[in-house]
Amino acid sequence: MLDVVGALFRRPFQIKEFLIQAWFIVKVTIIPTAFVSIPFGAVIALQVGGLIQQFGAQSFTGSAAVLAVVREAGPIATALLIAGAAGSAIAADFGARKIREELDAMMVLGIDPIQRLVVPRVLATMLVAVFLNGLVTVVGVAGGYVFNVVLQGGTPGAYLASFTALAQLPDLYQGMAKALIFGFIAAIVASYKGMNAKGGPKGVGDAVNEAVVITFTLLFIVNFFISAIYLQVVPPKGM
């Protein structure tokens, strides 16, 4: 991680590699993200709506569902897809380069693999993660709206009017920051495991599996600390 941070400020920046990797990550993640975000928003709307109805506060179903999607479901869904699709692809790519000794050849030629290959992938993953988080948030909120109105008998006006009751603009900023950090972690772990793969093709497969599992674990740990700090810095909005 420190090597990547240090290499960020070295020139020349590999703009072509950055654009290629960003487009590749978009291609492998955007469709699964769109399909996953619909049930995410639907499940949250159904669960939150059913719970709130028991307390007789149906008018706040919209704000509670939006808070859940923006704060937690959006960044987590984005992180899981980034780690599972983009992270595994990055780890497999670096693992294949490692067993073919391409990385060693680059170092012999005086080319830093971290500055040349890792930095563009890390920045591309972070950028795409932020945009995917926005996609998950929009689709998740829309899915929650449809399921709340159609299945739970809610009114469209009450759902939309309650957005500002509990939600606030820093909630959106927090979700975007989470996506940015999660993308950074996923790319760093995938690159590290891939560049340290050993044992031929089997070692590459093991590196990919380890990268995904480690990333998932780190994401949930980091998510807990970010959420805890955020709630201390930005108190919940009063009704």
Side-chain angles (χ1 to χ4, degrees):
M1 185 181 295
L2 294 177
D3 291 338
V4 171
V5 173
L8 285 173
F9 305 98
R10 271 187 258 155
R11 295 294 179 266
F13 178 69
Q14 305 298 326
I15 183 66
K16 182 178 179 180
E17 184 74 13
F18 167 76
L19 295 176
I20 291 173
Q21 294 303 318
W23 176 242
F24 170 75
I25 295 171
V26 168
K27 286 194 299 182
V28 300
T29 57
I30 189 167
I31 294 178
T33 300
F35 282 112
V36 166
S37 55
I38 295 175
F40 254 82
V43 169
I44 289 173
L46 292 175
Q47 296 293 334
V48 172
L51 181 63
I52 288 182
Q53 284 181 359
Q54 296 179 22
F55 293 98
Q58 293 91 333
S59 59
F60 293 103
T61 300
S63 59
V66 170
L67 271 181
V69 171
V70 172
R71 283 187 183 179
E72 302 298 334
I76 288 295
T78 301
L80 296 180
L81 288 162
I82 284 288
S88 59
I90 292 173
D93 178 36
F94 279 122
R97 292 173 183 266
K98 176 65 175 179
I99 64 174
R100 292 198 304 261
E101 299 182 347
E102 289 184 20
L103 301 179
D104 295 331
M106 292 178 67
M107 297 179 68
V108 170
L109 294 173
I111 302 173
D112 183 6
I114 292 180
Q115 193 266 341
R116 177 65 178 79
L117 299 175
V118 178
V119 170
R121 284 165 172 77
V122 171
L123 294 179
T125 305
M126 295 170 65
L127 175 66
V128 175
V130 173
F131 284 106
L132 287 180
N133 178 68
L135 174 63
V136 172
T137 301
V138 172
V139 177
V141 171
Y145 168 83
V146 171
F147 278 83
N148 175 255
V149 173
V150 174
L151 298 181
Q152 295 180 316
T155 59
Y159 190 93
L160 296 175
S162 67
F163 277 11
T164 57
L166 299 176
Q168 48 189 332
L169 197 57
D171 296 329
L172 182 61
Y173 297 154
Q174 182 218 202
M176 295 173 64
K178 279 186 177 181
L180 197 70
I181 295 171
F182 293 165
F184 178 77
I185 293 174
I188 289 289
V189 173
S191 300
Y192 176 81
K193 298 304 294 186
M195 296 180 76
N196 289 276
K198 298 178 181 178
K202 182 181 182 301
V204 176
D206 292 340
V208 172
N209 291 334
E210 292 172 3
V212 173
V213 173
I214 292 173
T215 302
F216 282 4
T217 305
L218 288 177
L219 292 180
F220 283 106
I221 295 173
V222 173
N223 179 65
F224 168 77
F225 284 105
I226 293 177
S227 298
I229 294 173
Y230 174 78
L231 290 176
Q232 295 297 320
V233 175
V234 183
K237 186 177 180 180
M239 292 184 292

